[in-house]
Structure formats: C-alpha cells, structure tokens
Amino acid sequence: MDLSRNTLDHKKSQMPSFELAVEQITFGPRHHFFGYIGQSQTIPWNGSGRYILGLRSDFQDHMPGTGEAAEIVLIDTQNDYAVEVVERTLGWNPQQGTMFYWNPEAADTQFFFNDRDPRTQKVFTVLYDIAAGERIAEYRYDDTPFGNSGVAQNGGYFLGLNYARMARLRLVTGYLDAADWTEGVLHPTDDGIFKAHVKTGAKELIVSFAQLAAAIGKFNPLVEQAPLFINHTLWSRDDDRIYFYARGNFGNRQTRVNVPFTVERDGADLTIQDVFIGGHPEWLQGHQILGHEENNLVIYDTDRQQIASTLGDASVFRDPGGDNAFSPDGQWIANGSGPKNGTVYVMYRLADEAWAHTETFDQGQWISGDLRCDPAPCWNRTSDQVLFPSIAADGTRQMFIMSRS
C-alpha cells in the first residue's frame, strides 16, 4: 500500500462506523502487564490466539534491581482469562517489560524473553516452549551480554542491545545494575546493535557506537562528549531494514543527541534520516513508517526522506506523538494519548479514515518518569482487538482489551 498525499489528504476524518468496548482482564492485588508498544508486530497473543503473555509483579513503585524477579504468565482467553505462571525473569522493567515476542517460526508455543544471570548479572535472551514446558534455548554472550530488542517480523533473527548501558544512560529503558562491559566508554567499537541467529545463536555486530558517533559528528560536535545509547530497533515488515534512534545526554535538552537512523539488515547503508518523526515510529509496508510531525500523525518515506501523507487531524488523534501501532493486516492504527492528561485510545481505519475512541483512563501518579504507565497499545493477530495497560480502580497496574464491533 503506497500512502501518498494524493490518496489521503483530500479526505476528511469520518465519524465511527464501529464501536469500541473495553474489558479489564487481569486484577490485583498483584500487578499484570505486557510491556512495550506493539511496534513491528510485537503481539501479546500466541499464534492460535488462545494465550496472552504477561508479567506479574509484587510492586510498581521502583525499578527492579538484582534479585527482583517478575513472574511470566499465560492468560487463557478461552478460560475466563485464567492466569498461569510458567517462568520467572530477572531481566525486566515496568515500561518495556521483558521484550516478549512470540517466535514467528513457531508462534503457537514459543516465545522470547530477556533474563539475567543472578550470579554475574549478565543479560541474555531465552526461547521458551509452552508445549515442552521449558527453556529450549538461551542466548548467552559472555563478552557482550546483550538482550533481545526486536525479533524479525518473519522470524529467524533477533536484534540485541546492551540493557545495562541503557539503564546507566536512560534508566527507564534498561535493567538496573546489570553487567556492562562498556562502562566509561563514550562510543564503544564492540557495542551497538547486534543481530543473533535464532537457530545457531551466531551473533554479529551490525552497527557500532563508534560508527554512529562518526556519522553524527559530521554535523553535531556535541556527540564528542555524549555517551551514546540506542532505543527502538524496529525491523521493517520485509525484515530488510531497521529503524532506530541513537541518543545521548537524554536528560539535558541543550546537549541532547537524538538522531534517527536506518540500516540494512546486514549492516550496510547506515543512513541518518533527516526528518525527525517523533520517538515512537512504526513500520507499514515497504519502507514507509508511521510517526508524527508537529501536531500531525504522518507517514514518512525512509527512501525519499519525505513526509508522504498526513492522517486524521486533532479531532481524531488527541496525541499524535503518543504510542502508535499498526495492525498485522496493515489496515488499522491504534493510538494511545497521554498519559499526562489522561489516556485515550483511538482505533483508526486507513481505508476510509473511520475512527472511534475510548473513554479516558486515569493513570494516577504513574504519568511520568521511569515508572510511568505508557499507553503501549498492542494488536491481536486478527486485527480486531488491542491490549493495553492501565492503572485499575484499586491502584494496581493491569491489562485491558479494547475490542471493535
């Protein structure tokens, strides 16, 4: 689908031709959440649609440190959302969870999550099989202990980041007190974006921080004193291109480095994207990606480095820069606003720009900072339901489903 200005801009946003219903599926006193946005088809449901992955925690008032595990649970959609504990992880945080991904090559039974060794604090990735009831693979790299940051949409590979470095440089994105082999190094040559082969475990570094610093330094000398980290390594739908952000000094707006890049899956053609389209992009077909420009939700072409189209308007998308996710069939967008002014979810149909939105969800005190409850919408596999987290009436963090009818 080629979304160009000519095909979309002449339309006006239509009132809903469908309705949305919201149901809370988990309950306190313990906290339940999936973590992370449904970018690049990060789908909580397994292949059959029966089970939803989630984390369960005793707390939400601090970042988990060494020894503070979360339980990994399966939520049975065919049994009144019954919750079953199947594993535990020491590699997680409230915003991104443990980077759950069902394995595209065996989505009925296998999923990835991150963990860390309780003795060495080294981060690694696990492949778990619910039919076998066990971990069938662990991806441990003693010299470069990274965790999964994105599974290829068609399977076979996952990308890896240094979650210890991320926690040190932007706590909300990483794992507190994990082992970091790059501490004290601004732009390491042996860290950046890794790619791991699912079947063999073979790894390669496809982009290094040294490469990123050299590219950014050509136009921004501030990078010379900015320790870099990476967020949002997103595979395109064809798995041929990766979009990501190189960031540094994120807590200081005057010296902040925040540069969007694309790179081919083999590390070739590392390219700075000149147009900044917000912090939560999401791939559509080909090399087009969803983002926001000023107060508009837009489709951006990473080949031409141009805005291709504008979607909806302020009456539709209360917060275009909020969390956004394309449905697996590529026909719908889920947008979550806030949470500073209350979170509202929008479901938007690309074909005719019909839309509907939910009521406002009050996130209580968890509206900013490292422990905030982000909107994080995640589609199901049939593109008619969206899972999201919210603070429930009892103050606990729980999972909700928005359904279209």
Side-chain angles (χ1 to χ4, degrees):
M1 179 186 299
D2 181 17
L3 298 179
S4 66
R5 290 190 186 275
N6 290 334
T7 60
L8 284 180
D9 280 358
H10 72 283
K11 296 182 180 179
K12 293 183 179 179
S13 299
Q14 304 296 313
M15 291 300 292
S17 58
F18 54 89
E19 295 182 351
L20 299 177
V22 175
E23 178 182 12
Q24 182 176 339
I25 66 167
T26 61
F27 299 87
R30 304 180 73 186
H31 308 280
H32 300 82
F33 59 99
F34 178 75
Y36 212 46
I37 314 164
Q39 297 168 309
S40 301
Q41 298 195 62
T42 315
I43 300 173
W45 284 260
N46 75 329
S48 70
R50 176 168 182 175
Y51 295 110
I52 295 172
L53 271 171
L55 288 178
R56 185 162 72 182
S57 170
D58 291 326
F59 61 88
Q60 65 170 337
D61 61 349
H62 64 276
M63 290 289 283
T66 58
E68 293 190 297
E71 293 176 334
I72 295 173
V73 299
L74 289 177
I75 301 166
D76 191 343
T77 66
Q78 296 180 15
N79 185 24
D80 197 28
Y81 299 111
V83 178
E84 177 188 2
V85 178
V86 296
E87 255 286 2
R88 298 168 74 251
T89 176
L90 291 167
W92 67 284
N93 66 41
Q95 190 213 30
Q96 297 186 2
T98 186
M99 296 302 289
F100 280 132
Y101 280 80
W102 289 97
N103 181 5
E105 297 181 312
D108 281 348
T109 64
Q110 295 179 11
F111 64 87
F112 297 92
F113 67 93
N114 289 338
D115 201 353
R116 61 171 152 177
D117 189 289
R119 181 180 60 85
T120 65
Q121 302 306 318
K122 292 183 177 181
V123 174
F124 61 96
T125 297
V126 175
L127 182 58
Y128 186 89
D129 193 295
I130 63 177
E134 63 182 9
R135 301 180 179 204
I136 60 173
E138 291 185 342
Y139 302 88
R140 295 177 181 250
Y141 306 100
D142 286 339
D143 58 337
T144 58
F146 60 82
N148 166 47
S149 64
V151 175
Q153 296 200 38
N154 300 290
Y157 296 90
F158 65 87
L159 301 174
L161 293 176
N162 179 355
Y163 282 87
R165 184 179 179 90
M166 292 159 69
R168 182 163 54 82
L169 299 177
R170 193 186 180 204
L171 180 58
V172 66
T173 65
Y175 305 151
L176 184 65
D177 296 327
D180 182 5
W181 75 97
T182 69
E183 190 166 358
V185 183
L186 292 180
H187 311 132
T189 59
D190 61 348
D191 192 10
I193 300 177
F194 294 88
K195 183 177 72 174
H197 193 283
V198 171
K199 286 188 169 58
T200 68
K203 67 163 183 174
E204 62 178 308
L205 182 66
I206 62 171
V207 178
S208 74
F209 283 112
Q211 287 176 277
L212 297 175
I216 297 170
K218 293 177 181 178
F219 68 91
N220 185 356
L222 292 176
V223 75
E224 295 179 6
Q225 302 301 319
L228 294 178
F229 63 98
I230 294 167
N231 281 154
H232 303 306
T233 53
L234 305 176
W235 293 87
S236 65
R237 291 195 172 216
D238 295 329
D239 294 335
D240 63 336
R241 182 169 292 182
I242 297 152
Y243 188 100
F244 66 96
Y245 290 105
R247 293 172 165 171
N249 291 343
F250 218 66
N252 188 327
R253 290 191 176 275
Q254 292 184 331
T255 62
R256 175 182 292 184
V257 174
N258 192 15
V259 181
F261 279 88
T262 53
V263 67
E264 304 306 292
R265 61 180 292 158
D266 61 357
D269 197 22
L270 180 66
T271 301
I272 291 176
Q273 293 291 323
D274 292 334
V275 180
F276 187 84
I277 55 168
H280 298 116
E282 159 72 311
W283 287 104
L284 189 54
Q285 283 89 347
H287 293 159
Q288 294 184 328
I289 198 164
L290 181 72
H292 81 276
E293 183 187 47
E294 298 180 348
N295 295 319
N296 295 313
L297 198 65
V298 299
I299 300 293
Y300 171 72
D301 190 304
T302 61
D303 288 330
R304 294 181 291 174
Q305 299 210 27
Q306 295 177 351
I307 302 297
S309 63
T310 299
L311 304 178
D313 54 34
S315 69
V316 180
F317 299 112
R318 173 173 167 178
D319 180 10
D323 293 349
N324 297 290
F326 272 117
S327 59
D329 66 8
Q331 301 303 309
W332 298 83
I333 295 170
N335 164 266
S337 65
K340 290 185 178 180
N341 297 314
T343 302
V344 172
Y345 290 91
V346 176
M347 194 177 287
Y348 176 91
R349 185 164 56 209
L350 289 167
D352 60 0
E353 298 192 72
W355 58 274
H357 64 78
T358 68
E359 62 184 16
T360 300
F361 288 82
D362 182 2
Q363 308 300 6
Q365 64 178 303
W366 312 108
I367 60 174
S368 62
D370 297 332
L371 304 173
R372 65 184 180 268
C373 188
D374 280 344
C378 298
W379 286 94
N380 68 350
R381 295 181 184 274
T382 51
S383 301
D384 57 3
Q385 290 185 321
V386 171
L387 184 81
F388 64 88
S390 188
I391 303 303
D394 63 358
T396 59
R397 191 172 306 211
Q398 301 300 337
M399 302 165 78
F400 295 72
I401 288 179
M402 173 175 68
S403 302
R404 184 178 71 246
S405 60

